[in-house]
């Protein structure tokens, strides 16, 4: 942590928690009778509430996307390179909302939360989730914040899937959609990769082993049941499933303008997957801008500082009218 906060930092931020007492019917058929979401905000909501941007996090993400929780923090939020004054997601212009999805393990209701029916942690009994469940819970958060329409919904990887789902579930509530390093659905290779991580009877051990491989802090902070839950939501995502397996037909329902970004060495969601999104959007006669960024950083490139990526992303968002 620097002795003085950088001028382009959102500064010291404090997570907030909202409790929802209205039951949430999930795609699996089960209901969360009540739940809570942890979120952070950066920037100021304007008078007509037209400058709000929603950040949808990826598998390992959470609500702390930018800034610092204290002056003793060793590092800022996970997308700090892209959120802040003068950065692509410019907090001088936008009011940014970043949340931890239900099912996570950073304060929102998830497997480590208490099951009201048993008085014990949900653990592996937490209801199965789909991307649409996150979108519906995010819409309720928007309602609580008084945000009728998002200037933009933005996400990378699994977050990009949520952003696309937003444009179909709530088309009138999204003006722009940024889909970064994502796909219309998982490839067989990706599903096989996830199954390898989470297969046989020693699931928890295998997941913990994998998380340790990913990095010490991540392994300590990420609950194995949450990892399995979110990975399954990723596996089952298919934007076109309810639309005759036709992505063009699916996007006919969207009203937003789109930005799609891919990275040349992304092994998880290769540029071809992003081009499939672009092709479907063009087929549906939607407005779409596309860029493939040369990078050596693989799938993680969407999280890391990159001059070309920052330029493309920033110029698109600079063109969004918020008045």
């Amino acid at each position: 942590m620097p002795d003085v906060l950088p001028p382009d930092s959102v500064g010291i931020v404090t997570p907030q928690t909202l409790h929802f007492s209205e039951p949430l019917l999930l795609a699996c058929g089960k209901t969360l009778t009540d739940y809570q979401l942890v979120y952070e905000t950066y920037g100021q909501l304007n008078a007509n509430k037209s400058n709000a941007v929603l950040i949808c996090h990826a598998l390992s993400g959470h609500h702390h996307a930018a800034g610092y929780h204290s002056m003793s923090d060793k590092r800022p939020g996970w997308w700090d390179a892209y959120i802040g004054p003068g950065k692509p997601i410019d907090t001088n212009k936008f009011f940014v909302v970043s949340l931890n999805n239900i099912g996570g393990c950073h304060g929102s209701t998830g497997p480590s939360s208490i099951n009201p029916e048993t008085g014990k942690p949900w653990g592996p009994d937490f209801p199965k989730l789909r991307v649409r469940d996150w979108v519906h819970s995010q819409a309720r958060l928007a309602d609580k914040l008084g945000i009728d329409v998002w200037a933009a919904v933005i996400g990378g990887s699994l977050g990009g899937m949520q952003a696309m789902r937003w444009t179909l579930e709530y088309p009138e509530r999204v003006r722009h959609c940024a889909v970064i390093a994502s796909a219309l659905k998982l490839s067989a290779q990706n599903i096989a990769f996830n199954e390898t991580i989470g297969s046989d009877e020693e699931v928890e051990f295998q997941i913990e082993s994998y998380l340790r491989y990913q990095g010490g802090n991540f392994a300590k902070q990420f609950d194995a049941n949450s990892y399995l839950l979110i990975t399954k939501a990723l596996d089952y995502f298919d934007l076109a499933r309810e639309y005759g397996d036709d992505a063009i037909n699916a996007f006919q329902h969207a009203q937003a303008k789109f930005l799609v970004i891919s990275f040349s060495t992304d092994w998880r969601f290769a540029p071809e997957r992003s081009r499939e999104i672009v092709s479907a959007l063009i087929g549906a006669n939607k407005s779409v801008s596309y860029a493939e960024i040369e990078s050596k950083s693989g799938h993680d490139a969407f999280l890391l500082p990159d001059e070309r990526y920052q330029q493309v992303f920033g110029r698109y968002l600079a063109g969004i009218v918020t008045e």
Side-chain angles (χ1 to χ4, degrees):
M1 172 70 199
D3 294 332
V4 178
L5 290 171
D8 61 355
S9 172
V10 299
I12 302 297
V13 296
T14 302
Q16 302 176 68
T17 302
L18 271 177
H19 182 263
F20 298 81
S21 56
E22 180 185 355
L24 180 66
L25 177 62
L26 303 173
C28 68
K30 295 185 178 180
T31 299
L32 286 179
T33 56
D34 61 85
Y35 58 98
Q36 69 179 28
L37 293 175
V38 176
Y39 69 101
E40 292 180 359
T41 66
Y42 322 112
Q44 298 294 321
L45 188 62
N46 63 12
N48 58 4
K49 300 182 179 180
S50 61
N51 69 331
V53 168
L54 176 65
I55 305 298
C56 301
H57 68 74
L59 190 153
S60 60
H62 43 69
H63 56 278
H64 186 40
Y68 300 85
H69 285 161
S70 73
M71 292 298 290
S72 62
D73 281 3
K74 294 182 179 179
R75 63 185 65 183
W78 57 267
W79 224 16
D80 192 76
Y82 292 88
I83 302 172
K87 294 176 181 176
I89 307 172
D90 190 346
T91 51
N92 288 329
K93 176 180 181 178
F94 296 113
F95 174 68
V96 182
V97 179
S98 176
L99 80 158
N100 179 217
N101 283 327
I102 53 172
C105 51
H106 292 87
S108 294
T109 298
S112 59
S113 303
I114 299 299
N115 180 346
E117 294 184 2
T118 65
K120 299 178 180 179
W122 282 96
D125 295 327
F126 195 85
K128 299 298 184 289
L129 296 172
R130 297 291 181 266
V131 168
R132 68 183 66 241
D133 297 324
W134 292 327
V135 169
H136 294 322
S137 67
Q138 292 161 7
R140 290 189 180 181
L141 174 61
D143 293 341
K144 291 260 191 174
L145 296 176
I147 298 167
D148 294 328
V149 180
W150 296 104
V153 177
I154 300 172
S157 190
L158 178 56
M161 294 175 172
Q162 295 166 59
M164 288 187 287
R165 180 62 72 186
W166 254 99
T167 69
L168 304 188
E169 298 293 318
Y170 301 96
E172 73 288 349
R173 301 189 70 172
V174 186
R175 292 197 288 117
H176 293 265
C177 176
V179 183
I180 305 167
S182 194
L184 293 168
K185 64 179 179 180
L186 239 60
S187 67
Q189 178 185 5
N190 267 309
I191 294 174
F193 173 79
N194 290 342
E195 290 300 320
T196 299
I197 296 171
S199 60
D200 86 27
E201 295 172 0
E202 298 184 32
V203 166
E204 185 168 346
F205 172 79
Q206 291 190 19
I207 292 297
E208 292 288 2
S209 176
Y210 174 73
L211 296 182
R212 282 195 295 272
Y213 171 77
Q214 287 294 326
N217 289 334
F218 182 42
K220 293 174 185 176
Q221 296 173 5
F222 215 93
D223 177 76
N225 288 310
S226 284
Y227 187 90
L228 282 170
L229 191 69
I230 298 171
T231 299
K232 283 300 179 185
L234 176 63
D235 285 350
Y236 283 106
F237 178 78
D238 184 345
L239 193 76
R241 183 183 291 117
E242 295 86 10
Y243 300 92
D245 293 320
D246 184 343
I248 294 176
N249 186 31
F251 280 129
Q252 295 284 1
H253 299 267
Q255 298 177 19
K257 295 181 178 179
F258 288 80
L259 170 67
V260 180
I261 297 177
S262 67
F263 298 89
S264 59
T265 57
D266 189 345
W267 62 273
R268 195 81 156 115
F269 296 122
E272 294 93 304
R273 304 287 79 79
S274 288
R275 290 197 288 270
E276 289 171 355
I277 298 170
V278 173
S279 179
L281 286 165
I282 292 172
N285 199 30
K286 303 301 174 181
S287 173
V288 56
S289 300
Y290 173 65
E292 180 181 326
I293 307 298
E294 290 292 328
S295 173
K296 297 180 180 179
S297 300
H299 186 57
D300 286 345
F302 83 94
L303 297 168
L304 304 174
D306 179 282
E307 184 178 359
R308 181 61 177 161
Y309 174 28
Q310 289 167 317
Q311 287 175 347
V312 169
F313 198 11
R315 287 175 183 171
Y316 182 88
L317 294 179
I320 295 178
V321 177
T322 57
E323 296 297 337

